[in-house]
Amino acid sequence: MTTITRTKTRLKPQRPIQKSAQKPAQKKPVQKKPVQKKPVQRPAQPPNRRTTKSPHRSASRRRRPVLSVVIPVSGKGRLAPNMVRRLRSWPAVKEVVVVANKCPSATVKSIQSAGGLVIAYEEALGHDTGRAIGALHATGKYVLFLDADINWTIAELQPFLRRLRRGADIALNRYPLPQNPRYHHPTAVAKRALNLALDRPDLQAASLTTVPHAIGRNVIEQIGAEHLAVPPVFYTLAALRGYRIVTATHCPVGLRNPQHKRRPLKYNVQELILGDHAEAFHHLITHTGSRGFFPDSIRNRQALPAAFACEDRNLFQKPETAAAIVPASNEARTIGRVVRQLTAAGVSEVHVVDNGSKDSTKQYAERAGAFVHGYERALGHDVPRAIGAAKTLSHTVTRTVPATLFIDADFAIPPRHLRPFIDAVTKQDIDVALNHFSLGLGRGVQRDPVSTMKRFLNLMVGRPDLEANSPTAIPHALSQRALECLTPLDLAVPPRITVQSVLQGLQVKPVHYVDVIKPNRIRKINRNTRALCAPVTRLIVGDHLEALELWLTAKGQRGGFPQPRRLDILAKAIADIAASRSPVERSEPTQEATQATL
């Protein structure tokens, strides 16, 4: 029997039949006509000034004339016509106002032909009066003040206009610089003192007294153009009202001004400028008080005695004795040696005023042989001097002490440096013997606020020979006659001693130099005294303002200096301009004037 075996065969999968790849026919795109949409009309919006920069707008602003230039001219004024033509070529200049005082007719015609607006006077107006009259006729937004004695260029004048356009109210000339010898001239000292009193030490010796300078016309209208006749007064009033005062650039006018060589004057320009600054200080003290912006917060004036009890002593008796007053506060390490050095110098009585010490100052002073007057609370600066003088006079009521020496307890001074002060009072009839501080300090060092205020006060009282010497510095000695003329407040505020001594006719003289800076102990209150921010520096500046008020009260608001300006002509010019205005202009003040009044 046959067996049939069937095997299963695996069929291979058949590949799909590939159709011929035929590309679909591409349809041609139908070209549609573009539909024109109507533009949406939106309301016009003003351009954003912060992001939109239009060269045409900025260029038009630069070309717009906004500047009035005021130039006083006296005499022939040879440089004036060419200067007017040059300034008229400056696109920013709107007008050039020339105040011609006592000029020949040919000069006036040449300036007019050059394009200047001439305001002529037959008589001389004096310093700065022409600036005030020119400012009354200026119509520009900014006013630039120049002198006709210097050939100015537009390049050196542009920084002043630039600072005003950037927001400043007054732009000054940064002259003289500290490295310039003119920085120590008496007029520059007065400018520096005024800036210190206004709490603007950054301005150094910059002032409206120096040209060129530029002022916004709105500032002139608010303060009054008549004050421009005395530039430091206008400057002070502007600073007190909070206007922004900056320096623009440095123009060395001292080297380029030939005025002192070509035109003799009937008055002293230095005395005129010093009187102007005295008048400015008068306005400052009137508005802010006797100490200005520098209050006396570290001095206990309530502890001062009412007066010195010296009516029972014979002022003509001259025994060979001397007394010393030594304020001490926590000076246990040095007080014993200080008292012994005074005794070796010939001082018979040493009175130590213990100014709130917490250590053993009293015990060491008594052990050295001094009379100690203790106070539990601190008396502050210089108050112990007045209290010590009162204690000395009451302690020696039956006899006369011809010389009273004032020193500090911070360090001991050798006897050879103390005897000259005692001998100057007892043998040379000097009433106030000062430490010759300027002898040890060069002019280059006398730039700090304290030295500046000392020199300025000595200039005000007519004693420039004293330079930077003052009773503020120790040691110094007073005669019995000086103590008779002074009050305890004068000893507590040492610059008042200088003023009272000059008013009373006392003999004041620097006699010997003692270096009190290097050995002086550094405390928190007297650290960095060359800066106006130090508490002791601000105290001393306020002391000099208080002394200056005493002098101005006795001598007038100009401190005894003359006023040669023709202010009567200025007053007439102001009256004529006020009369020429319409009643509407006189009755309707501007919005800025109303806000300033409020």
Short mmCIF file of all heavy atoms in Angstrom, two decimals, residues 116-143:
data_model
loop_
_atom_site.label_atom_id
_atom_site.label_comp_id
_atom_site.label_asym_id
_atom_site.label_seq_id
_atom_site.Cartn_x
_atom_site.Cartn_y
_atom_site.Cartn_z
N GLY A 116 25.24 147.40 17.97
CA GLY A 116 24.96 147.36 19.40
C GLY A 116 23.89 148.35 19.80
O GLY A 116 23.74 149.42 19.21
N LEU A 117 23.13 147.98 20.81
CA LEU A 117 22.13 148.86 21.40
C LEU A 117 22.82 149.68 22.49
O LEU A 117 23.20 149.15 23.53
CB LEU A 117 20.98 148.05 21.99
CG LEU A 117 19.92 148.82 22.79
CD1 LEU A 117 19.20 149.82 21.90
CD2 LEU A 117 18.94 147.86 23.43
N VAL A 118 23.01 150.98 22.25
CA VAL A 118 23.82 151.83 23.11
C VAL A 118 22.92 152.64 24.03
O VAL A 118 21.94 153.26 23.59
CB VAL A 118 24.72 152.77 22.28
CG1 VAL A 118 25.57 153.64 23.19
CG2 VAL A 118 25.60 151.96 21.34
N ILE A 119 23.26 152.60 25.34
CA ILE A 119 22.62 153.43 26.35
C ILE A 119 23.72 154.32 26.91
O ILE A 119 24.59 153.84 27.64
CB ILE A 119 21.97 152.59 27.45
CG1 ILE A 119 21.00 151.59 26.83
CG2 ILE A 119 21.26 153.45 28.47
CD1 ILE A 119 20.53 150.53 27.78
N ALA A 120 23.70 155.59 26.56
CA ALA A 120 24.82 156.49 26.83
C ALA A 120 24.52 157.38 28.03
O ALA A 120 23.39 157.85 28.22
CB ALA A 120 25.13 157.34 25.60
N TYR A 121 25.56 157.60 28.84
CA TYR A 121 25.54 158.53 29.97
C TYR A 121 26.77 159.41 29.89
O TYR A 121 27.87 158.94 29.55
CB TYR A 121 25.52 157.78 31.30
CG TYR A 121 24.21 157.06 31.57
CD1 TYR A 121 24.05 155.74 31.17
CD2 TYR A 121 23.16 157.69 32.22
CE1 TYR A 121 22.86 155.07 31.41
CE2 TYR A 121 21.97 157.02 32.46
CZ TYR A 121 21.82 155.71 32.05
OH TYR A 121 20.65 155.06 32.28
N GLU A 122 26.60 160.68 30.19
CA GLU A 122 27.72 161.61 30.08
C GLU A 122 28.68 161.49 31.25
O GLU A 122 29.85 161.86 31.13
CB GLU A 122 27.18 163.05 30.00
CG GLU A 122 26.36 163.31 28.74
CD GLU A 122 25.87 164.74 28.68
OE1 GLU A 122 26.11 165.49 29.67
OE2 GLU A 122 25.26 165.11 27.67
N GLU A 123 28.23 161.02 32.42
CA GLU A 123 29.09 160.91 33.58
C GLU A 123 29.45 159.45 33.84
O GLU A 123 28.79 158.54 33.34
CB GLU A 123 28.42 161.51 34.83
CG GLU A 123 27.12 160.85 35.19
CD GLU A 123 25.92 161.51 34.53
OE1 GLU A 123 26.05 162.00 33.40
OE2 GLU A 123 24.86 161.52 35.16
N ALA A 124 30.51 159.27 34.62
CA ALA A 124 30.95 157.92 34.97
C ALA A 124 29.99 157.31 35.99
O ALA A 124 29.58 157.97 36.95
CB ALA A 124 32.37 157.96 35.53
N LEU A 125 29.63 156.05 35.78
CA LEU A 125 28.67 155.37 36.64
C LEU A 125 29.32 154.61 37.79
O LEU A 125 28.64 154.29 38.76
CB LEU A 125 27.82 154.39 35.81
CG LEU A 125 27.03 155.00 34.65
CD1 LEU A 125 26.33 153.91 33.87
CD2 LEU A 125 26.04 156.02 35.15
N GLY A 126 30.59 154.30 37.67
CA GLY A 126 31.23 153.49 38.69
C GLY A 126 31.11 152.01 38.38
O GLY A 126 30.43 151.59 37.44
N HIS A 127 31.76 151.22 39.21
CA HIS A 127 31.80 149.78 39.00
C HIS A 127 30.40 149.17 39.08
O HIS A 127 29.63 149.47 40.01
CB HIS A 127 32.70 149.10 40.04
CG HIS A 127 34.11 148.92 39.57
ND1 HIS A 127 34.95 149.98 39.34
CD2 HIS A 127 34.83 147.80 39.26
CE1 HIS A 127 36.12 149.52 38.93
NE2 HIS A 127 36.08 148.21 38.87
N ASP A 128 30.09 148.31 38.08
CA ASP A 128 28.93 147.42 38.09
C ASP A 128 27.59 148.13 37.94
O ASP A 128 26.57 147.46 37.74
CB ASP A 128 28.88 146.58 39.38
CG ASP A 128 30.18 145.86 39.65
OD1 ASP A 128 30.68 145.20 38.74
OD2 ASP A 128 30.71 145.98 40.77
N THR A 129 27.54 149.45 38.00
CA THR A 129 26.27 150.14 37.80
C THR A 129 25.78 149.98 36.37
O THR A 129 24.58 149.84 36.12
CB THR A 129 26.42 151.63 38.14
OG1 THR A 129 27.02 151.76 39.44
CG2 THR A 129 25.08 152.33 38.15
N GLY A 130 26.72 149.97 35.41
CA GLY A 130 26.33 149.77 34.02
C GLY A 130 25.74 148.39 33.78
O GLY A 130 24.87 148.22 32.91
N ARG A 131 26.19 147.38 34.52
CA ARG A 131 25.61 146.04 34.37
C ARG A 131 24.14 146.05 34.77
O ARG A 131 23.30 145.44 34.09
CB ARG A 131 26.37 145.04 35.23
CG ARG A 131 27.84 144.91 34.89
CD ARG A 131 28.47 143.81 35.75
NE ARG A 131 29.93 143.82 35.69
CZ ARG A 131 30.71 143.01 36.37
NH1 ARG A 131 30.17 142.10 37.17
NH2 ARG A 131 32.02 143.08 36.27
N ALA A 132 23.85 146.71 35.87
CA ALA A 132 22.46 146.75 36.32
C ALA A 132 21.57 147.49 35.33
O ALA A 132 20.45 147.06 35.03
CB ALA A 132 22.38 147.40 37.70
N ILE A 133 22.06 148.61 34.78
CA ILE A 133 21.27 149.36 33.80
C ILE A 133 21.11 148.55 32.53
O ILE A 133 20.02 148.51 31.92
CB ILE A 133 21.94 150.72 33.52
CG1 ILE A 133 21.92 151.58 34.79
CG2 ILE A 133 21.24 151.44 32.38
CD1 ILE A 133 22.63 152.90 34.66
N GLY A 134 22.16 147.87 32.09
CA GLY A 134 22.03 147.03 30.90
C GLY A 134 21.08 145.88 31.09
O GLY A 134 20.34 145.50 30.17
N ALA A 135 21.05 145.29 32.30
CA ALA A 135 20.12 144.19 32.57
C ALA A 135 18.68 144.67 32.53
O ALA A 135 17.78 143.90 32.19
CB ALA A 135 20.42 143.58 33.93
N LEU A 136 18.43 145.95 32.85
CA LEU A 136 17.06 146.48 32.78
C LEU A 136 16.55 146.53 31.35
O LEU A 136 15.34 146.40 31.11
CB LEU A 136 17.01 147.88 33.40
CG LEU A 136 17.23 147.97 34.91
CD1 LEU A 136 17.37 149.43 35.33
CD2 LEU A 136 16.06 147.32 35.65
N HIS A 137 17.44 146.71 30.38
CA HIS A 137 17.05 146.80 28.97
C HIS A 137 17.18 145.48 28.22
O HIS A 137 16.81 145.41 27.04
CB HIS A 137 17.90 147.86 28.26
CG HIS A 137 17.67 149.26 28.76
ND1 HIS A 137 18.27 149.75 29.90
CD2 HIS A 137 16.90 150.27 28.27
CE1 HIS A 137 17.88 151.01 30.09
NE2 HIS A 137 17.06 151.34 29.12
N ALA A 138 17.70 144.45 28.84
CA ALA A 138 17.87 143.16 28.17
C ALA A 138 16.52 142.48 28.00
O ALA A 138 15.67 142.51 28.90
CB ALA A 138 18.82 142.28 28.96
N THR A 139 16.33 141.83 26.86
CA THR A 139 15.07 141.14 26.56
C THR A 139 15.26 139.66 26.27
O THR A 139 14.27 138.95 26.05
CB THR A 139 14.38 141.79 25.34
OG1 THR A 139 15.27 141.71 24.21
CG2 THR A 139 14.05 143.24 25.63
N GLY A 140 16.48 139.16 26.26
CA GLY A 140 16.72 137.75 25.99
C GLY A 140 16.36 136.87 27.17
O GLY A 140 16.17 137.33 28.31
N LYS A 141 16.27 135.59 26.91
CA LYS A 141 15.97 134.64 27.97
C LYS A 141 17.13 134.52 28.95
O LYS A 141 16.92 134.31 30.15
CB LYS A 141 15.67 133.27 27.35
CG LYS A 141 15.25 132.21 28.36
CD LYS A 141 14.92 130.89 27.68
CE LYS A 141 14.50 129.83 28.69
NZ LYS A 141 14.20 128.53 28.04
N TYR A 142 18.36 134.67 28.45
CA TYR A 142 19.55 134.63 29.28
C TYR A 142 20.33 135.91 29.06
O TYR A 142 20.28 136.52 27.98
CB TYR A 142 20.43 133.42 28.93
CG TYR A 142 19.69 132.11 28.88
CD1 TYR A 142 19.53 131.42 27.68
CD2 TYR A 142 19.14 131.55 30.03
CE1 TYR A 142 18.85 130.21 27.63
CE2 TYR A 142 18.46 130.36 29.99
CZ TYR A 142 18.31 129.68 28.79
OH TYR A 142 17.62 128.50 28.74
N VAL A 143 21.07 136.32 30.09
CA VAL A 143 21.84 137.56 30.03
C VAL A 143 23.29 137.23 30.37
O VAL A 143 23.56 136.64 31.43
CB VAL A 143 21.29 138.62 31.00
CG1 VAL A 143 22.06 139.93 30.84
CG2 VAL A 143 19.81 138.85 30.76
#
